[in-house]
Amino acid sequence: MKRYTGLIENYRSRLPVSESTRIISLGEGNTPLIELHHIPRLIGKEVKIYVKFEGLNPTGSFKDRGMTMAVTKAVEAGSQAIICASTGNTSAAAAAYAVRAGIQAFVLIPEGKIALGKLAQTLMYGAKIIQINGNFDRGMALVKEVAEHAPVTIVNSINPYRLEGQKTAAFEIVDELGFAPDYHCLPVGNAGNITAYWKGYKEYFTGRVCANTPVMCGYQAAGAAPFALGEMVDNPETVATAIRIGHPQSWDLAWTAQKESGGWFDKFSDEQILAAQKMLSQFEGVFCEPASAASLAGALHDISTGKIPEGSIIVCTLTGNGIKDPEIAMQQCADAKPVTIDASLDAVKRAILDHI
Ligand code: F0G
């Protein structure tokens, strides 16, 4: 049996590493592509929807794909410290891979605006956390400035190695299905991931945009939707804190992905995003974080209007694990409080029979 040892080893020939590169890995990638069985039936449409569940990466998000590459290359270049601005997931991944590499991680996060699980992880991994009384966009600007004055390597997705690692998700999908989907739906924040997938699909088909590459659909939260609006947003707001971004870093690259693939951007309300998150949990057994569910919210909308036609094969990337944001999950289930009963056989029996 061949042991799986991470995406760099798996796709070595398509990534910028050499024989002597020390690989910093936690066994990321190789995440499940799950076909939805119930939701297509519920909406009464003849479509095949798969979700690429990136929440099953080592730190619970797709950021691990980019971070294994970025930290591997930072260490190769002799860096002793990495830095990022983050809405939570990048900081958790940076912190974990820094520990693995034996270097220091600094993370800038917007105070009070990152999900509890992400903060807990980053603290546990022992990163130096710097909270700012500003949003992600401000943090990103500060990180770019400070990196000119201190010996730290930026590991946000403006670091090209991040996109190199993240493109492997597209490789995995084509390897598994035997072809690319017709449509690929993603939540969009900084737009690094949609850029990376598009790069991956094109590289898989030898650098060509062709009949085999998918249409890329990027979905944003209505209060943080610079791509859908066609202009930067100064005070982004959404319950999906992971994508609470108004000034995306990969602006031009994502527009290129949209144009080349014949795709589009759109925006959805927090209510629509949360409804999709709950639907995935309650009808499919897949628990993703709110931002991730924007991909399904968008796909379901575009299927219902016929923009995505029946007969299509669709992949939605679920970027992060639902466990990262327990506070939103509890709010989502506020009317489903657990019952408390006597610790007796009789009472337990009654509680069960009441539900059958
Ligand atoms: N989904 C989740 C769960 C994310 O954490 C992010 C970005 C995105 C989607 C959007 O991906 O930026 O490549 O378009 N999170 C970053 C962070 C900003 O700091 O964790 P993108």
Side-chain angles (χ1 to χ4, degrees), residues 61-63 85-91 118 136 156-157 162 166 187-194 242-243 245 289 291-292 319-320:
S61 89
F62 74 98
K63 304 289 179 178
S86 181
T87 56
N89 281 325
T90 302
S91 58
K118 301 174 190 178
F136 169 86
N156 281 103
S157 54
R162 279 277 311 277
Q166 285 169 216
V188 172
N190 261 320
N193 212 25
I194 195 167
I243 51 173
I245 294 171
E289 67 170 285
S292 309
T319 44

Side-chain angles (χ1 to χ4, degrees), residues 220-226 229 233 235-238 244-245 267-270:
Q220 304 204 280
L229 297 170
V233 172
N235 292 301
E237 218 32 274
T238 169
R244 188 172 168 271
I245 294 171
K267 56 183 169 40
F268 295 94
S269 68
D270 283 358

Side-chain angles (χ1 to χ4, degrees), residues 70-105:
V71 175
T72 290
K73 295 303 281 187
V75 167
E76 187 173 60
S79 181
Q80 292 294 313
I82 56 174
I83 190 166
C84 64
S86 181
T87 56
N89 281 325
T90 302
S91 58
Y97 284 82
V99 170
R100 192 75 170 163
I103 61 173
Q104 177 69 48

